Amino acid sequence: MKDRACQTKESTGRAPGETAGRRRRYGVAPFTPLQPIPTPMSAKANAPRPLTARRSGPLTGTVRVPGDKSISHRALMFGALALGETRIEGLLEGEDVLNTAAALRALGAEAEKGADGVWRTRGRGVGGLAEPSQVLDMGNSGTAARLLMGLLSTHPFTSFMTGDASLVKRPMARVTTPLERMGASFVLRSAGRLPGAIVGTDRPVPIEYRLPVASAQVKSAILLAGLNTPGRTTVIETEPTRDHTERMLRHFGIDVRVEEAEGGALAASVVGHGELTARDVVVPADPSSAAFPAVAALIRPDSAVTLTGVGLNPRRAGVYETLREMGADIAFTNAREEGGEPLADLVVRGSALKGVEVPPERAPSMIDEYPVLCAAAACADGPTVMRGLAELRVKESDRLAMMAAGLEACGVRLEMGEDWLVVHGTGRPPKGGATVATAMDHRIAMSFLVLGLATEEPVKVDDGSFIDTSFPGFTALMNGLGAEIGEA
Ligand code: S3P
Protein backbone atom coordinates (compact mmCIF):
# COMPACT_ATOMS: atom_id res chain seq x y z
CA MET A 1 0.00 0.00 0.00
CA LYS A 2 1.08 3.55 -0.77
CA ASP A 3 2.43 5.79 1.96
CA ARG A 4 -0.68 7.57 3.24
CA ALA A 5 0.94 10.99 3.19
CA CYS A 6 1.43 10.58 -0.55
CA GLN A 7 -2.13 9.60 -1.37
CA THR A 8 -3.78 11.82 -3.94
CA LYS A 9 -7.36 12.83 -4.65
CA GLU A 10 -7.50 10.11 -7.31
CA SER A 11 -6.55 7.38 -4.81
CA THR A 12 -8.57 8.62 -1.81
CA GLY A 13 -11.49 10.41 -3.39
CA ARG A 14 -10.70 13.59 -1.45
CA ALA A 15 -8.44 16.58 -1.73
CA PRO A 16 -5.52 17.03 0.66
CA GLY A 17 -6.61 18.82 3.81
CA GLU A 18 -10.26 17.76 3.70
CA THR A 19 -11.62 17.08 7.20
CA ALA A 20 -12.06 13.70 8.91
CA GLY A 21 -15.85 14.15 8.78
CA ARG A 22 -15.70 14.49 5.04
CA ARG A 23 -13.43 11.48 4.82
CA ARG A 24 -15.85 9.31 6.75
CA ARG A 25 -18.54 10.19 4.23
CA TYR A 26 -16.31 8.66 1.54
CA GLY A 27 -15.85 5.62 3.76
CA VAL A 28 -12.05 5.89 3.76
CA ALA A 29 -10.07 4.98 6.87
CA PRO A 30 -8.78 8.01 8.86
CA PHE A 31 -5.15 8.86 8.17
CA THR A 32 -2.45 11.26 9.26
CA PRO A 33 -3.32 14.55 7.54
CA LEU A 34 -0.85 16.12 5.17
CA GLN A 35 1.14 19.00 6.59
CA PRO A 36 -0.62 22.13 5.33
CA ILE A 37 1.54 24.41 3.20
CA PRO A 38 2.33 27.34 5.47
CA THR A 39 0.46 30.56 4.80
CA PRO A 40 2.30 33.74 3.78
CA MET A 41 3.55 36.09 6.50
CA SER A 42 1.53 38.93 5.11
CA ALA A 43 -1.07 39.18 2.40
CA LYS A 44 -0.91 42.85 1.62
CA ALA A 45 -3.56 44.08 -0.75
CA ASN A 46 -2.93 47.65 -1.84
CA ALA A 47 -6.05 49.73 -2.39
CA PRO A 48 -5.18 51.77 -5.49
CA ARG A 49 -4.28 55.35 -4.55
CA PRO A 50 -4.48 57.68 -7.56
CA LEU A 51 -2.34 60.81 -7.27
CA THR A 52 -2.17 63.96 -9.40
CA ALA A 53 0.72 66.37 -9.94
CA ARG A 54 0.14 69.96 -11.08
CA ARG A 55 2.54 72.52 -12.51
CA SER A 56 4.39 73.98 -9.52
CA GLY A 57 6.46 77.05 -8.78
CA PRO A 58 10.17 76.77 -7.97
CA LEU A 59 11.15 74.01 -5.53
CA THR A 60 13.27 75.18 -2.64
CA GLY A 61 14.57 73.76 0.62
CA THR A 62 16.85 71.19 2.22
CA VAL A 63 15.71 67.60 2.68
CA ARG A 64 17.03 64.13 3.31
CA VAL A 65 15.38 61.38 1.30
CA PRO A 66 14.93 57.99 3.03
CA GLY A 67 17.72 55.43 3.39
CA ASP A 68 19.19 53.46 0.52
CA LYS A 69 17.05 50.44 -0.33
CA SER A 70 19.87 48.20 -1.57
CA ILE A 71 22.00 48.94 1.49
CA SER A 72 19.06 48.55 3.90
CA HIS A 73 18.24 45.02 2.65
CA ARG A 74 21.88 44.03 2.96
CA ALA A 75 22.35 45.59 6.42
CA LEU A 76 19.45 43.51 7.78
CA MET A 77 20.55 40.30 6.05
CA PHE A 78 24.19 40.58 7.07
CA GLY A 79 23.14 41.58 10.59
CA ALA A 80 21.01 38.42 10.68
CA LEU A 81 24.14 36.36 9.94
CA ALA A 82 26.61 38.26 12.11
CA LEU A 83 27.61 37.24 15.61
CA GLY A 84 26.55 39.91 18.10
CA GLU A 85 24.35 42.98 17.86
CA THR A 86 24.34 45.13 14.72
CA ARG A 87 22.95 48.68 15.00
CA ILE A 88 21.53 50.12 11.79
CA GLU A 89 20.94 53.87 11.60
CA GLY A 90 18.87 55.38 8.82
CA LEU A 91 17.33 52.10 7.65
CA LEU A 92 14.75 52.60 4.90
CA GLU A 93 11.40 51.73 6.46
CA GLY A 94 9.76 51.09 3.09
CA GLU A 95 7.56 48.05 2.62
CA ASP A 96 10.23 46.14 0.70
CA VAL A 97 12.73 46.40 3.53
CA LEU A 98 10.14 45.71 6.24
CA ASN A 99 9.34 42.46 4.40
CA THR A 100 13.02 41.53 4.55
CA ALA A 101 13.06 42.17 8.31
CA ALA A 102 9.95 39.98 8.73
CA ALA A 103 11.50 37.20 6.65
CA LEU A 104 14.68 37.27 8.74
CA ARG A 105 12.62 37.01 11.93
CA ALA A 106 10.82 34.01 10.40
CA LEU A 107 14.31 32.54 9.87
CA GLY A 108 15.15 32.90 13.54
CA ALA A 109 17.14 36.15 13.61
CA GLU A 110 16.25 39.19 15.69
CA ALA A 111 15.55 42.36 13.72
CA GLU A 112 13.66 45.13 15.52
CA LYS A 113 13.46 48.89 15.69
CA GLY A 114 14.37 50.37 19.07
CA ALA A 115 12.60 53.24 20.84
CA ASP A 116 15.56 55.41 19.73
CA GLY A 117 14.68 54.81 16.05
CA VAL A 118 17.76 52.64 15.52
CA TRP A 119 17.27 49.11 14.18
CA ARG A 120 19.08 46.27 15.86
CA THR A 121 19.72 42.76 14.64
CA ARG A 122 21.13 39.81 16.51
CA GLY A 123 22.44 37.27 14.06
CA ARG A 124 22.68 33.49 14.03
CA GLY A 125 26.12 33.01 12.50
CA VAL A 126 26.91 31.86 8.97
CA GLY A 127 24.76 28.81 8.18
CA GLY A 128 22.73 29.36 11.35
CA LEU A 129 19.33 30.43 9.98
CA ALA A 130 16.41 28.22 11.01
CA GLU A 131 13.77 26.58 8.81
CA PRO A 132 10.79 28.96 8.55
CA SER A 133 7.29 27.70 9.33
CA GLN A 134 5.72 30.48 7.27
CA VAL A 135 5.89 31.31 3.58
CA LEU A 136 8.42 34.10 3.09
CA ASP A 137 6.46 36.87 1.39
CA MET A 138 8.87 39.24 -0.30
CA GLY A 139 6.15 41.60 -1.48
CA ASN A 140 7.31 43.77 -4.41
CA SER A 141 11.05 43.25 -3.95
CA GLY A 142 13.26 41.40 -6.42
CA THR A 143 16.35 42.24 -4.37
CA ALA A 144 14.94 40.70 -1.20
CA ALA A 145 13.73 37.59 -3.03
CA ARG A 146 16.92 36.93 -4.99
CA LEU A 147 19.40 37.68 -2.20
CA LEU A 148 17.47 35.50 0.26
CA MET A 149 17.31 32.69 -2.30
CA GLY A 150 21.09 32.83 -2.37
CA LEU A 151 21.39 32.74 1.41
CA LEU A 152 18.85 29.95 1.83
CA SER A 153 20.27 27.77 -0.93
CA THR A 154 23.16 26.73 1.33
CA HIS A 155 21.05 26.22 4.45
CA PRO A 156 19.97 22.54 4.57
CA PHE A 157 16.22 23.00 4.85
CA THR A 158 13.23 23.89 2.71
CA SER A 159 11.72 27.37 2.54
CA PHE A 160 8.68 28.57 0.63
CA MET A 161 8.71 32.01 -0.97
CA THR A 162 6.18 34.20 -2.72
CA GLY A 163 5.60 37.84 -3.62
CA ASP A 164 3.01 40.24 -4.93
CA ALA A 165 1.46 40.23 -8.41
CA SER A 166 4.48 42.11 -9.80
CA LEU A 167 7.20 39.96 -8.20
CA VAL A 168 5.62 36.66 -9.27
CA LYS A 169 6.07 37.76 -12.90
CA ARG A 170 9.79 38.37 -12.59
CA PRO A 171 12.47 35.89 -13.77
CA MET A 172 14.16 33.83 -11.06
CA ALA A 173 16.10 31.38 -13.26
CA ARG A 174 18.94 33.92 -13.35
CA VAL A 175 19.61 33.06 -9.68
CA THR A 176 18.39 29.46 -9.52
CA THR A 177 20.67 28.34 -12.40
CA PRO A 178 23.95 29.16 -10.60
CA LEU A 179 22.54 28.19 -7.19
CA GLU A 180 21.58 24.75 -8.54
CA ARG A 181 25.18 24.34 -9.63
CA MET A 182 26.12 24.92 -6.00
CA GLY A 183 23.83 22.05 -4.97
CA ALA A 184 20.49 23.69 -4.11
CA SER A 185 17.24 22.77 -5.80
CA PHE A 186 14.13 24.79 -6.49
CA VAL A 187 10.54 24.05 -7.32
CA LEU A 188 9.19 27.09 -9.11
CA ARG A 189 6.21 27.73 -11.34
CA SER A 190 6.81 27.16 -15.03
CA ALA A 191 9.20 29.67 -16.62
CA GLY A 192 11.00 29.94 -13.27
CA ARG A 193 8.62 32.28 -11.46
CA LEU A 194 7.63 32.53 -7.78
CA PRO A 195 5.89 31.21 -5.72
CA GLY A 196 8.25 28.35 -5.15
CA ALA A 197 10.28 26.25 -2.77
CA ILE A 198 13.99 26.57 -2.07
CA VAL A 199 15.56 23.28 -1.05
CA GLY A 200 18.90 24.18 0.49
CA THR A 201 21.83 21.82 0.23
CA ASP A 202 23.88 20.40 3.10
CA ARG A 203 26.78 19.72 0.71
CA PRO A 204 27.34 22.99 -1.15
CA VAL A 205 30.04 23.19 -3.78
CA PRO A 206 31.87 26.40 -4.69
CA ILE A 207 31.51 27.63 -8.26
CA GLU A 208 33.09 30.14 -10.58
CA TYR A 209 30.25 31.83 -12.44
CA ARG A 210 30.29 34.39 -15.25
CA LEU A 211 27.18 36.57 -15.10
CA PRO A 212 25.16 36.35 -18.33
CA VAL A 213 23.29 39.56 -17.39
CA ALA A 214 24.64 42.61 -15.55
CA SER A 215 22.92 42.06 -12.21
CA ALA A 216 24.06 42.91 -8.70
CA GLN A 217 21.23 40.78 -7.36
CA VAL A 218 22.56 37.66 -9.08
CA LYS A 219 26.15 38.45 -8.08
CA SER A 220 25.05 38.98 -4.48
CA ALA A 221 22.91 35.83 -4.35
CA ILE A 222 25.90 33.70 -5.37
CA LEU A 223 28.31 35.41 -2.96
CA LEU A 224 25.81 34.98 -0.11
CA ALA A 225 25.43 31.29 -0.97
CA GLY A 226 29.24 31.13 -0.96
CA LEU A 227 29.39 32.29 2.67
CA ASN A 228 28.28 28.84 3.82
CA THR A 229 30.18 26.88 1.17
CA PRO A 230 33.64 25.39 1.70
CA GLY A 231 36.28 26.86 -0.64
CA ARG A 232 36.20 29.91 -2.89
CA THR A 233 33.04 31.01 -4.70
CA THR A 234 33.71 33.45 -7.56
CA VAL A 235 31.44 35.66 -9.65
CA ILE A 236 32.82 37.23 -12.83
CA GLU A 237 31.13 40.30 -14.28
CA THR A 238 32.00 41.97 -17.56
CA GLU A 239 29.89 45.04 -16.78
CA PRO A 240 30.51 46.23 -13.22
CA THR A 241 27.32 46.38 -11.16
CA ARG A 242 26.67 47.97 -7.77
CA ASP A 243 29.11 46.59 -5.19
CA HIS A 244 27.25 47.17 -1.91
CA THR A 245 27.50 43.45 -1.06
CA GLU A 246 31.26 43.39 -1.45
CA ARG A 247 31.72 46.62 0.52
CA MET A 248 29.39 45.66 3.34
CA LEU A 249 30.69 42.10 3.71
CA ARG A 250 34.15 43.64 4.20
CA HIS A 251 32.67 46.02 6.76
CA PHE A 252 31.44 42.91 8.64
CA GLY A 253 34.94 41.39 8.49
CA ILE A 254 34.67 39.04 5.50
CA ASP A 255 37.65 38.99 3.16
CA VAL A 256 36.00 39.69 -0.22
CA ARG A 257 38.53 39.61 -3.02
CA VAL A 258 37.91 41.64 -6.19
CA GLU A 259 40.44 41.04 -8.97
CA GLU A 260 40.74 41.84 -12.62
CA ALA A 261 39.81 38.88 -14.80
CA GLU A 262 40.31 38.17 -18.51
CA GLY A 263 39.19 40.89 -20.90
CA GLY A 264 38.88 43.58 -18.24
CA ALA A 265 36.16 41.70 -16.32
CA LEU A 266 36.00 41.74 -12.54
CA ALA A 267 36.05 38.62 -10.36
CA ALA A 268 34.54 38.97 -6.88
CA SER A 269 35.04 36.05 -4.53
CA VAL A 270 34.59 34.85 -0.97
CA VAL A 271 35.93 31.84 0.90
CA GLY A 272 33.13 30.20 2.86
CA HIS A 273 32.77 29.36 6.53
CA GLY A 274 34.16 32.65 7.85
CA GLU A 275 32.05 34.47 10.42
CA LEU A 276 30.59 37.97 10.14
CA THR A 277 31.22 40.19 13.15
CA ALA A 278 28.39 42.55 14.10
CA ARG A 279 29.15 46.14 13.11
CA ASP A 280 27.25 49.41 13.17
CA VAL A 281 25.86 50.49 9.80
CA VAL A 282 24.88 54.03 8.82
CA VAL A 283 22.65 53.89 5.74
CA PRO A 284 23.13 56.81 3.31
CA ALA A 285 20.16 58.55 1.69
CA ASP A 286 19.14 56.63 -1.43
CA PRO A 287 20.60 58.11 -4.66
CA SER A 288 17.75 56.51 -6.63
CA SER A 289 15.15 58.24 -4.44
CA ALA A 290 17.12 61.51 -4.47
CA ALA A 291 16.89 61.54 -8.26
CA PHE A 292 13.14 62.35 -8.04
CA PRO A 293 13.42 65.67 -6.17
CA ALA A 294 16.65 66.38 -8.11
CA VAL A 295 14.94 66.08 -11.52
CA ALA A 296 11.90 67.97 -10.20
CA ALA A 297 14.18 70.86 -9.18
CA LEU A 298 15.96 70.79 -12.55
CA ILE A 299 12.74 71.10 -14.58
CA ARG A 300 11.20 73.90 -12.44
CA PRO A 301 12.97 77.20 -13.18
CA ASP A 302 14.55 79.06 -10.23
CA SER A 303 14.51 75.97 -8.00
CA ALA A 304 17.29 75.43 -5.46
CA VAL A 305 17.11 72.16 -3.52
CA THR A 306 19.73 70.62 -1.23
CA LEU A 307 19.61 66.84 -0.76
CA THR A 308 21.73 65.78 2.21
CA GLY A 309 23.79 62.65 2.82
CA VAL A 310 23.13 61.02 -0.57
CA GLY A 311 25.03 57.80 -1.27
CA LEU A 312 27.28 58.30 -4.28
CA ASN A 313 28.80 54.90 -4.83
CA PRO A 314 30.28 55.28 -8.35
CA ARG A 315 28.37 52.15 -9.44
CA ARG A 316 25.08 53.87 -8.53
CA ALA A 317 25.61 57.51 -9.46
CA GLY A 318 25.44 57.32 -13.28
CA VAL A 319 22.26 59.39 -13.45
CA TYR A 320 23.98 62.42 -11.92
CA GLU A 321 26.77 62.21 -14.50
CA THR A 322 24.16 62.01 -17.27
CA LEU A 323 22.12 64.91 -15.91
CA ARG A 324 25.26 67.06 -15.70
CA GLU A 325 26.02 66.22 -19.34
CA MET A 326 22.50 67.46 -20.10
CA GLY A 327 23.43 70.80 -18.56
CA ALA A 328 22.11 70.21 -15.04
CA ASP A 329 23.45 72.50 -12.33
CA ILE A 330 24.24 69.94 -9.62
CA ALA A 331 27.00 70.58 -7.09
CA PHE A 332 28.39 67.91 -4.77
CA THR A 333 29.42 69.29 -1.38
CA ASN A 334 30.58 67.95 1.95
CA ALA A 335 31.85 64.66 0.47
CA ARG A 336 32.49 62.00 3.12
CA GLU A 337 32.44 58.23 3.72
CA GLU A 338 30.31 56.05 6.04
CA GLY A 339 30.69 52.28 6.44
CA GLY A 340 32.72 51.98 3.25
CA GLU A 341 30.24 53.97 1.12
CA PRO A 342 30.91 57.48 -0.29
CA LEU A 343 28.24 60.17 0.22
CA ALA A 344 27.78 63.91 -0.28
CA ASP A 345 25.18 66.68 -0.17
CA LEU A 346 23.71 67.61 -3.56
CA VAL A 347 22.75 71.18 -4.42
CA VAL A 348 20.43 71.17 -7.44
CA ARG A 349 19.23 74.28 -9.30
CA GLY A 350 16.64 74.72 -12.04
CA SER A 351 18.45 74.29 -15.38
CA ALA A 352 17.82 74.43 -19.13
CA LEU A 353 18.50 70.83 -20.14
CA LYS A 354 19.57 69.53 -23.55
CA GLY A 355 19.20 66.02 -24.97
CA VAL A 356 22.23 63.71 -24.88
CA GLU A 357 23.25 60.22 -25.91
CA VAL A 358 23.65 58.11 -22.76
CA PRO A 359 26.57 55.66 -23.13
CA PRO A 360 25.08 52.12 -22.91
CA GLU A 361 27.95 50.94 -20.69
CA ARG A 362 26.69 53.39 -18.06
CA ALA A 363 23.35 51.55 -17.79
CA PRO A 364 24.21 49.33 -14.78
CA SER A 365 25.15 52.41 -12.73
CA MET A 366 21.78 54.10 -13.37
CA ILE A 367 19.49 51.20 -14.22
CA ASP A 368 16.75 52.29 -11.80
CA GLU A 369 16.94 55.94 -12.91
CA TYR A 370 15.90 55.66 -16.57
CA PRO A 371 12.24 56.35 -15.75
CA VAL A 372 13.02 59.66 -14.02
CA LEU A 373 15.66 60.46 -16.65
CA CYS A 374 12.83 60.17 -19.19
CA ALA A 375 10.97 62.92 -17.31
CA ALA A 376 14.07 65.14 -17.60
CA ALA A 377 14.51 64.18 -21.27
CA ALA A 378 10.86 65.06 -22.01
CA CYS A 379 11.59 68.66 -20.89
CA ALA A 380 15.05 68.90 -22.51
CA ASP A 381 15.91 70.42 -25.86
CA GLY A 382 16.62 67.72 -28.48
CA PRO A 383 16.68 63.93 -28.48
CA THR A 384 17.93 61.88 -25.56
CA VAL A 385 19.14 58.50 -26.81
CA MET A 386 19.16 55.59 -24.35
CA ARG A 387 20.49 52.18 -25.38
CA GLY A 388 21.29 48.87 -23.64
CA LEU A 389 18.02 48.88 -21.72
CA ALA A 390 16.98 45.19 -21.99
CA GLU A 391 17.01 44.83 -18.20
CA LEU A 392 14.34 47.53 -17.87
CA ARG A 393 11.84 45.05 -19.24
CA VAL A 394 12.15 42.75 -16.18
CA LYS A 395 11.96 45.26 -13.34
CA GLU A 396 8.91 45.85 -11.11
CA SER A 397 7.15 46.37 -14.47
CA ASP A 398 8.27 46.44 -18.11
CA ARG A 399 9.64 49.92 -17.53
CA LEU A 400 10.48 50.55 -21.16
CA ALA A 401 6.91 49.89 -22.26
CA MET A 402 5.36 51.72 -19.30
CA MET A 403 7.50 54.85 -19.79
CA ALA A 404 6.87 54.91 -23.53
CA ALA A 405 3.09 54.56 -23.07
CA GLY A 406 2.92 57.23 -20.35
CA LEU A 407 5.16 59.70 -22.19
CA GLU A 408 3.15 59.35 -25.39
CA ALA A 409 -0.07 59.92 -23.43
CA CYS A 410 1.53 63.14 -22.12
CA GLY A 411 2.26 64.32 -25.67
CA VAL A 412 5.95 63.41 -25.85
CA ARG A 413 7.32 62.19 -29.18
CA LEU A 414 9.52 59.10 -28.88
CA GLU A 415 10.88 56.05 -30.63
CA MET A 416 11.32 52.69 -28.91
CA GLY A 417 12.99 49.38 -29.77
CA GLU A 418 13.49 46.10 -27.92
CA ASP A 419 16.26 47.60 -25.75
CA TRP A 420 16.41 51.29 -26.63
CA LEU A 421 14.43 54.47 -26.36
CA VAL A 422 14.79 57.93 -27.89
CA VAL A 423 12.83 60.75 -26.24
CA HIS A 424 12.44 63.83 -28.44
CA GLY A 425 12.34 66.82 -26.12
CA THR A 426 11.31 70.22 -27.49
CA GLY A 427 12.96 72.37 -24.85
CA ARG A 428 9.55 73.05 -23.30
CA PRO A 429 7.60 70.84 -20.87
CA PRO A 430 5.12 68.56 -22.66
CA LYS A 431 1.37 68.97 -22.58
CA GLY A 432 0.52 66.34 -19.93
CA GLY A 433 -3.19 66.04 -19.18
CA ALA A 434 -3.14 62.23 -19.06
CA THR A 435 -3.83 59.43 -16.62
CA VAL A 436 -0.82 57.14 -16.61
CA ALA A 437 -0.84 53.42 -15.78
CA THR A 438 1.85 52.44 -13.26
CA ALA A 439 1.61 48.59 -13.17
CA MET A 440 2.50 48.31 -9.44
CA ASP A 441 5.78 50.12 -10.11
CA HIS A 442 6.87 52.76 -7.58
CA ARG A 443 9.41 54.36 -9.90
CA ILE A 444 6.96 54.71 -12.80
CA ALA A 445 4.52 56.43 -10.43
CA MET A 446 7.13 58.86 -9.02
CA SER A 447 8.60 59.65 -12.45
CA PHE A 448 5.24 60.75 -13.87
CA LEU A 449 4.41 62.75 -10.76
CA VAL A 450 7.73 64.57 -11.22
CA LEU A 451 6.93 65.21 -14.89
CA GLY A 452 3.49 66.51 -13.91
CA LEU A 453 5.12 69.30 -11.87
CA ALA A 454 6.19 70.85 -15.19
CA THR A 455 3.54 69.86 -17.77
CA GLU A 456 0.94 72.35 -19.06
CA GLU A 457 -1.91 70.20 -17.72
CA PRO A 458 -1.88 67.94 -14.62
CA VAL A 459 -0.63 64.36 -14.80
CA LYS A 460 -2.48 61.70 -12.85
CA VAL A 461 -1.07 58.27 -11.95
CA ASP A 462 -3.57 55.46 -11.49
CA ASP A 463 -1.93 54.12 -8.32
CA GLY A 464 0.64 55.76 -6.08
CA SER A 465 0.35 53.19 -3.28
CA PHE A 466 3.49 51.31 -4.37
CA ILE A 467 5.62 54.40 -3.76
CA ASP A 468 5.74 53.23 -0.15
CA THR A 469 7.87 50.24 -1.18
CA SER A 470 10.91 52.51 -1.60
CA PHE A 471 10.04 56.12 -0.71
CA PRO A 472 7.62 56.43 2.21
CA GLY A 473 6.68 60.09 2.64
CA PHE A 474 7.37 60.97 -1.01
CA THR A 475 4.34 63.23 -1.45
CA ALA A 476 4.90 65.11 1.82
CA LEU A 477 8.61 65.58 1.10
CA MET A 478 7.97 66.85 -2.42
CA ASN A 479 5.15 69.16 -1.33
CA GLY A 480 7.35 70.50 1.46
CA LEU A 481 9.71 71.71 -1.30
CA GLY A 482 6.83 73.40 -3.11
CA ALA A 483 5.51 70.64 -5.35
CA GLU A 484 1.79 70.25 -5.90
CA ILE A 485 0.99 66.57 -5.63
CA GLY A 486 -2.35 65.51 -4.20
CA GLU A 487 -4.91 62.74 -3.99
CA ALA A 488 -6.62 62.61 -7.35
C1 S3P B 1 19.64 45.95 -6.88
C2 S3P B 1 20.11 45.67 -8.11
C3 S3P B 1 19.45 46.08 -9.36
C4 S3P B 1 18.43 47.19 -9.12
C5 S3P B 1 17.57 46.91 -7.93
C6 S3P B 1 18.42 46.78 -6.67
C7 S3P B 1 20.38 45.49 -5.69
O1 S3P B 1 18.76 44.97 -9.91
O2 S3P B 1 17.62 47.36 -10.26
O3 S3P B 1 16.63 47.95 -7.74
O4 S3P B 1 20.10 45.95 -4.57
O5 S3P B 1 21.27 44.65 -5.85
P1 S3P B 1 19.51 43.90 -10.88
O6 S3P B 1 20.50 43.16 -10.08
O7 S3P B 1 18.40 43.01 -11.37
O8 S3P B 1 20.10 44.72 -11.98
Side-chain angles (χ1 to χ4, degrees):
M1 194 185 150
K2 273 188 190 167
D3 180 337
R4 283 173 173 172
C6 294
Q7 288 175 333
T8 61
K9 182 164 178 160
E10 285 72 45
S11 63
T12 63
R14 94 192 101 66
E18 281 188 75
T19 62
R22 192 95 184 263
R23 265 184 268 129
R24 273 197 297 276
R25 206 154 55 100
Y26 284 99
V28 177
F31 78 132
T32 314
L34 289 170
Q35 278 293 307
I37 291 191
T39 48
M41 297 182 307
S42 74
K44 173 178 166 285
N46 281 64
R49 183 154 51 93
L51 292 172
T52 298
R54 296 189 158 68
R55 180 176 275 190
S56 311
L59 303 193
T60 53
T62 298
V63 284
R64 184 185 167 91
V65 301
D68 188 292
K69 184 148 75 77
S70 292
I71 293 179
S72 294
H73 284 302
R74 287 163 171 82
L76 286 171
M77 288 185 199
F78 300 177
L81 296 181
L83 297 176
E85 183 182 275
T86 292
R87 295 173 77 259
I88 310 168
E89 260 177 66
L91 187 88
L92 167 65
E93 292 175 11
E95 286 167 4
D96 278 8
V97 176
L98 297 179
N99 282 332
T100 292
L104 294 168
R105 286 192 292 267
L107 291 160
E110 286 173 37
E112 302 291 347
K113 184 180 180 175
D116 54 0
V118 174
W119 281 72
R120 289 179 175 75
T121 60
R122 194 160 277 283
R124 300 188 47 114
V126 164
L129 296 175
E131 183 171 75
S133 59
Q134 296 155 289
V135 175
L136 306 173
D137 184 351
M138 305 327 300
N140 196 251
S141 178
T143 306
R146 294 185 178 124
L147 267 58
L148 266 185
M149 280 178 154
L151 259 186
L152 294 174
S153 67
T154 51
H155 278 77
F157 52 72
T158 298
S159 323
F160 295 88
M161 187 180 280
T162 191
D164 70 10
S166 156
L167 185 57
V168 300
K169 288 192 200 121
R170 298 181 66 183
M172 292 297 151
R174 53 180 57 198
V175 279
T176 58
T177 300
L179 296 173
E180 277 169 354
R181 279 184 45 195
M182 297 181 79
S185 47
F186 298 85
V187 184
L188 293 176
R189 285 194 304 130
S190 49
R193 304 297 198 254
L194 289 174
I198 303 151
V199 184
T201 174
D202 61 354
R203 267 178 244 156
V205 286
I207 58 169
E208 183 178 298
Y209 191 73
R210 187 172 276 266
L211 293 182
V213 285
S215 168
Q217 292 177 359
V218 180
K219 172 176 64 176
S220 302
I222 298 167
L223 292 176
L224 294 186
L227 291 177
N228 197 30
T229 301
R232 185 172 290 279
T233 297
T234 306
V235 184
I236 299 171
E237 53 182 4
T238 41
E239 294 175 85
T241 63
R242 64 189 69 192
D243 59 355
H244 302 306
T245 297
E246 297 91 308
R247 287 174 187 250
M248 202 186 292
L249 280 178
R250 284 196 196 110
H251 183 63
F252 278 85
I254 295 290
D255 178 21
V256 183
R257 213 192 266 174
V258 179
E259 291 162 316
E260 231 174 79
E262 225 182 284
L266 288 178
S269 65
V270 290
V271 171
H273 294 167
E275 285 294 358
L276 280 72
T277 310
R279 293 290 306 270
D280 290 355
V281 177
V282 180
V283 180
D286 194 317
S288 302
S289 298
F292 297 103
V295 169
L298 291 172
I299 62 176
R300 296 317 297 136
D302 303 321
S303 293
V305 166
T306 301
L307 301 159
T308 58
V310 179
L312 286 175
N313 181 315
R315 308 239 190 123
R316 285 289 294 285
V319 71
Y320 297 105
E321 203 175 338
T322 302
L323 288 168
R324 282 174 122 185
E325 287 168 7
M326 294 173 81
D329 181 351
I330 304 178
F332 299 94
T333 62
N334 198 11
R336 52 209 188 267
E337 203 179 290
E338 297 265 22
E341 293 280 350
L343 46 149
D345 301 337
L346 268 55
V347 184
V348 188
R349 294 177 198 280
S351 308
L353 301 177
K354 59 178 197 310
V356 293
E357 179 145 3
V358 185
E361 62 277 10
R362 195 179 288 161
S365 71
M366 53 176 289
I367 195 68
D368 291 334
E369 284 66 70
Y370 282 98
V372 76
L373 181 70
C374 285
C379 300
D381 190 11
T384 294
V385 182
M386 295 165 269
R387 297 188 196 284
L389 307 185
E391 279 296 299
L392 288 193
R393 296 214 179 260
V394 291
K395 294 296 178 186
E396 285 83 331
S397 69
D398 176 343
R399 285 188 173 152
L400 208 42
M402 298 311 293
M403 283 313 297
L407 288 171
E408 275 185 332
C410 289
V412 179
R413 196 164 70 80
L414 56 86
E415 296 162 84
M416 183 180 72
E418 200 37 51
D419 70 345
W420 57 268
L421 184 66
V422 181
V423 174
H424 293 276
T426 62
R428 281 196 320 276
K431 183 164 177 294
T435 298
V436 171
T438 53
M440 305 176 77
D441 190 325
H442 53 131
R443 294 201 169 104
I444 298 292
M446 288 187 277
S447 300
F448 280 103
L449 291 171
V450 165
L451 182 61
L453 302 179
T455 48
E456 289 165 28
E457 294 171 27
V459 173
K460 177 171 169 175
V461 297
D462 65 350
D463 187 5
S465 66
F466 283 88
I467 292 173
D468 290 346
T469 60
S470 68
F471 198 153
F474 169 77
T475 303
L477 180 140
M478 295 296 288
N479 289 350
L481 293 170
E484 288 189 39
I485 301 174
E487 303 278 327

